[in-house]
Amino acid sequence: MTNPLISDWNTPFQMPPFEQIETGQFAEAFDVAINEARAGAEAVATQAAEPTFENTIEALEQSDALLDRVAGVFYNLSGTDSDSEIETLMRDLSPRLSALSSEIFQDQRLFSRVDALWSKVGELGLDQEQARVLELYHRSFVRAGAALAEADRARLAEIGQALAKLGTQFTQNLLADERDWGMALTADDLAGLPDDLKRAMSVAAGGEGYRLTLSRSIIVPFLENSTRRDLRETAWKAWTARGANGGQTDNRAIAAEILALRHEKATLLGFDDFAHFKLATEMAGTPDRVRDLLMKVWSPAKAQAERDAEQLRGLIAEAGQNHDLEGWDWRFYEEKLRAREHDFDAAALKPYFPLDSMIEASFDVARKLFNLDFRPLNVPLYHEDARAWEVVRGDTHIGVFIGDYFARPSKRSGAWCSRFRGQQKLAGDIRPIVINVCNFAKGDPSLLTFDDARTLFHEFGHALHSLLSDVTYPLISGTSVARDFVELPSQLYEHWLSERPVLESFARHHETGEPLPGDLLDKLLAAETFGQGFATVEYVASALVDLDFHTGKPPADAMDAQAATLARIGQPSAIPMRHATPNFAHVFAGDGYSAGYYSYMWSEVMDADAFEAFKETGNAFDPAMAEKLAAHIYSAGGSRPPEDLYTAFRGQMPGPEALLKGRGFADA
């Protein structure tokens, strides 16, 4: 039987033939694809012709096309519909793929060709995009150790393979903890819970009783609404202890080993520590600039959180309770405070936020801003919960968008955007296939909180960054940008959810179709900055711990180092980090956000300022501003340095003032 993963895909829009793909086919497909990528790089390295941009850079860009295709399918399935066979293969693949990357980017023959081109970049007649691609290739070779002595190159390769293996193990341990924990509840345990949450917990229990799980869309509303403090405590401790339960799935020692290896890698490459290595290619540039921004936000956020804590303690006392404010109390009493100050219950909003309406709202904003339309596709996908749309502009095919929205045991937690195929023009007019993954509670219908709807808009902003990409080279396509720039398109897109016309059109009762009542809409918008003390403190604490982990010598014990950072900044005792070290997948599952979790806030400085540009026109959908946004942010990929792209859109780089105002800290 022909392996469909390495055959031509004669499917609509050349989508993966999901109905033909079996897990057992991946091993062979990766063997073939890895060998093809290695052979492609070897062909570039051994050619007799003098290096040119075409025979070196463009050839390298196309040498791993099959590997990109196979990996695109495999790693999307590993996150959305994993099983033991996939997890075993992941553990085998991660060091192999790391070794291949080191083999190519440390190859002295390839480096000499790229270095020769870079040394005369101004004489090659390259256009702006080509010059940028050459710069990034040269930088990648240098940062992979190509300029080092042979022994140091070999050690870097060993470190890369070890980190890949450890990151995979970290991820699988976390998934196992999230998958395996659950608490069976009876009808007597449901006091205070809204009906939609009860339905979701019934679905999680297979219709037999109720099951509390560690899916965020279940556990967070449980902590907000359950009147059973004992159950809230049990659930909260399980949620915060993921990856730290002892035994085979404990991530604490893995985290320390990862930090030590990253530090060794950075010093081999001539940097003081991993933070300096990582940030050298980001917008922030240095750890000091990151710390400066985080501390400017930390002080007013902590002050607000402490004021909120006093009010919450007052509510505890009013209820005749004599306990202190703990982590499992904060969300519960904060909802009571929200109801008192803004005269509405957040749970009362959910009937007006059915998932399908919010999907349509996100599409409608894209119609108004970017002239896009979304046509449902009836095509085989990898899971019955996934659905697909063709994205078009007039009669022009833009790409395919896949949405996978519901939590299930085979899916890792969180929300993210990925792609099965990126946009490029080098190998023809290749259009992207993009996927959004969320973990909403499944229901009939599925009802979202306002925060859930914001998550949906956030991930769709990432999707648009890939769908609207308009570049030639795969290296700089879509979201292939600096980490502290990549969150700009996603966080900016969130702003349109809060626009009154959007809510008036799409926030409609799932049974009656009636729009969200005007008084409730007013209260929702008035309360948007409510709770920002808690939200900002839990985020900034995580970002500062991440930064400290990677600055200076690596800690022998990651948990001790986490505690030291939290003590130094005065973390409020009832507010945990958003991600404690053993479940901090952003930082330890791979190095994408390592020394880079601050990126969300760095991007927020820009997204707050960028939306202000629309507000200044008096029209959140101003056509001229939307055209600039598409040209310089959503379609440009990594074709220019991010500062240049943002300045082309806005005229200058912003300060943090709009961010502080947007979080309700304007008087800080």
Side-chain angles (χ1 to χ4, degrees):
M1 176 181 174
T2 302
N3 190 324
L5 289 162
I6 53 179
S7 304
D8 291 337
W9 290 351
N10 298 313
T11 53
F13 312 111
Q14 293 187 307
M15 292 179 66
F18 292 110
E19 76 280 13
Q20 301 175 31
I21 294 172
E22 299 174 1
T23 303
Q25 297 163 338
F26 279 108
E28 178 196 14
F30 271 109
D31 286 344
V32 172
I34 287 171
N35 287 336
E36 184 174 300
R38 180 177 286 116
E42 183 70 13
V44 177
T46 56
Q47 62 185 306
E50 289 296 309
T52 65
F53 185 84
E54 291 75 15
N55 70 20
T56 300
I57 302 302
E58 290 189 349
L60 285 173
E61 275 285 76
Q62 298 180 85
S63 64
D64 59 354
L66 179 61
L67 182 57
D68 278 349
R69 188 175 77 168
V70 174
V73 177
F74 178 78
Y75 283 101
N76 276 304
L77 294 184
S78 72
T80 59
D81 201 26
S82 188
D83 56 31
S84 59
E85 191 175 355
I86 287 177
E87 291 180 0
T88 299
L89 187 54
M90 281 183 69
R91 290 192 292 271
D92 172 62
L93 278 172
S94 56
R96 285 181 66 195
L97 293 174
S98 176
L100 176 66
S101 178
S102 295
E103 178 184 328
I104 292 172
F105 282 95
Q106 291 183 357
D107 189 303
Q108 297 299 284
R109 300 164 301 170
L110 289 173
F111 180 53
S112 68
R113 297 182 70 87
V114 174
D115 195 43
L117 292 172
W118 180 242
S119 68
K120 55 181 181 180
V121 61
E123 306 168 18
L124 300 177
L126 304 180
D127 62 28
Q128 186 177 58
E129 186 176 326
Q130 291 172 325
R132 176 68 171 165
V133 169
L134 175 56
E135 176 189 4
L136 294 176
Y137 259 98
H138 186 265
R139 190 174 79 183
S140 294
F141 273 91
V142 171
R143 288 172 67 83
L148 298 180
E150 183 177 356
D152 288 341
R153 294 199 305 273
R155 179 56 186 156
L156 272 181
E158 291 174 356
I159 291 172
Q161 293 175 57
L163 286 172
K165 183 177 180 180
L166 290 167
T168 298
Q169 188 62 57
F170 188 100
T171 302
Q172 294 185 354
N173 288 348
L174 182 56
L175 177 61
D177 277 4
E178 292 171 346
R179 180 178 57 222
D180 295 344
W181 189 90
M183 183 163 56
L185 302 179
T186 68
D188 295 335
D189 300 323
L190 308 182
L193 303 185
D195 288 343
D196 66 286
L197 179 57
K198 295 177 188 177
R199 287 193 295 269
M201 293 169 64
S202 176
V203 171
E208 298 182 4
Y210 303 88
R211 181 175 174 83
L212 178 62
T213 73
L214 296 182
S215 168
R216 182 176 288 273
S217 61
I218 287 181
I219 195 167
V220 169
F222 183 86
L223 292 171
E224 290 173 342
N225 293 284
S226 175
T227 60
R228 288 283 301 275
R229 188 170 189 257
D230 58 329
L231 298 181
R232 295 202 312 267
E233 179 179 1
T234 300
W236 185 88
K237 287 182 176 178
W239 174 250
T240 55
R242 291 166 299 147
N245 289 310
Q248 293 185 339
T249 62
D250 198 298
N251 278 333
R252 288 173 288 189
I254 291 175
E257 190 173 355
I258 288 172
L259 293 173
L261 288 170
R262 285 176 178 164
H263 182 77
E264 184 183 356
K265 172 181 177 177
T267 55
L268 279 171
L269 289 166
F271 291 87
D272 291 341
D273 50 45
F274 189 80
H276 282 87
F277 165 75
K278 183 66 178 292
L279 294 170
T281 59
E282 305 295 327
M283 294 183 75
T286 67
D288 287 345
R289 291 188 70 195
V290 172
R291 197 179 305 279
D292 180 62
L293 172 63
L294 293 175
M295 294 310 297
K296 282 180 179 176
V297 180
W298 173 259
S299 296
K302 180 184 175 186
Q304 181 61 54
E306 289 173 339
R307 289 191 293 269
D308 292 344
E310 286 306 306
Q311 290 185 279
L312 301 185
R313 292 187 181 99
L315 292 178
I316 293 172
E318 284 182 28
Q321 305 295 314
N322 60 4
H323 59 77
D324 197 3
L325 177 67
E326 302 287 357
W328 51 92
D329 298 315
W330 191 292
R331 286 183 171 89
F332 179 75
Y333 285 100
E334 188 173 69
E335 287 307 306
K336 292 185 175 297
L337 182 61
R338 187 200 307 265
R340 173 177 294 185
E341 290 191 352
H342 297 282
D343 191 27
F344 84 98
D345 180 357
L349 293 172
K350 291 187 74 171
Y352 295 91
F353 286 86
L355 171 62
D356 286 349
S357 293
M358 292 301 101
I359 294 171
E360 183 57 33
S362 69
F363 289 174
D364 192 63
V365 170
R367 289 188 190 100
K368 290 182 169 67
L369 288 173
F370 307 123
N371 195 27
L372 299 178
D373 282 304
F374 301 83
R375 300 171 179 170
L377 286 174
N378 183 17
V379 294
L381 296 171
Y382 59 88
H383 193 278
E384 62 182 8
D385 286 343
R387 48 183 128 165
W389 294 262
E390 182 191 5
V391 186
V392 297
R393 179 180 286 124
D395 293 328
T396 301
H397 174 74
I398 299 298
V400 172
F401 172 68
I402 298 172
D404 183 353
Y405 297 107
F406 300 128
R408 54 181 174 267
S410 61
K411 181 192 285 188
R412 66 178 171 91
S413 64
W416 64 94
C417 179
S418 185
R419 58 194 185 191
F420 287 93
R421 182 176 69 223
Q423 178 272 333
Q424 58 150 308
K425 299 175 185 175
L426 185 60
D429 187 12
I430 307 298
R431 302 309 308 168
I433 301 172
V434 183
I435 180 171
N436 275 177
V437 183
C438 298
N439 272 277
F440 303 137
K442 193 172 185 179
D444 185 22
S446 294
L447 303 178
L448 306 185
T449 66
F450 192 61
D451 283 345
D452 288 337
R454 194 182 301 280
T455 295
L456 187 149
F457 266 64
H458 177 101
E459 298 307 334
F460 193 63
H462 280 309
L464 289 170
H465 199 183
S466 284
L467 287 166
L468 291 170
S469 178
D470 186 23
V471 300
T472 298
Y473 297 95
L475 182 69
I476 55 172
S477 175
T479 56
S480 301
V481 298
R483 184 64 61 174
D484 47 13
F485 188 76
V486 76
E487 298 299 336
L488 168 60
S490 55
Q491 292 178 178
L492 174 59
Y493 205 71
E494 294 177 34
H495 287 271
W496 277 278
L497 173 63
S498 299
E499 283 299 292
R500 186 176 292 272
V502 175
L503 291 171
E504 289 174 342
S505 297
F506 295 98
R508 292 180 174 271
H509 197 281
H510 69 97
E511 292 178 337
T512 67
E514 291 296 314
L516 185 68
D519 61 337
L520 196 53
L521 175 56
D522 291 341
K523 293 169 184 177
L524 168 64
L525 295 177
E528 274 208 283
T529 60
F530 180 84
Q532 278 300 313
F534 176 93
T536 308
V537 162
E538 66 165 4
Y539 165 77
V540 175
S542 294
L544 286 168
V545 167
D546 167 44
L547 188 65
D548 284 356
F549 273 159
H550 296 98
T551 305
K553 293 182 178 180
D557 187 308
M559 300 306 293
D560 286 348
Q562 172 185 296
T565 295
L566 298 183
R568 189 188 77 248
I569 62 178
Q571 175 81 354
S573 60
I575 304 180
M577 295 167 60
R578 182 170 297 178
H579 305 286
T581 296
N583 50 68
F584 207 164
H586 280 78
V587 169
F588 293 107
D591 73 354
Y593 283 92
S594 56
Y597 192 61
Y598 76 93
S599 300
Y600 292 93
M601 187 148 283
W602 193 273
S603 291
E604 189 177 344
V605 170
M606 292 180 286
D607 81 64
D609 178 67
F611 195 68
E612 191 68 25
F614 281 88
K615 292 173 68 175
E616 289 168 2
T617 71
N619 178 7
F621 297 94
D622 180 76
M625 194 60 65
E627 185 176 351
K628 288 179 63 178
L629 182 66
H632 300 300
I633 305 298
Y634 281 92
S635 67
S639 58
R640 287 188 283 163
E643 297 90 342
D644 293 354
L645 292 174
Y646 190 83
T647 302
F649 166 68
R650 190 66 165 120
Q652 62 183 9
M653 291 299 296
E657 293 77 18
L659 177 153
L660 294 170
K661 179 181 177 182
R663 286 187 174 243
F665 307 144
D667 297 331

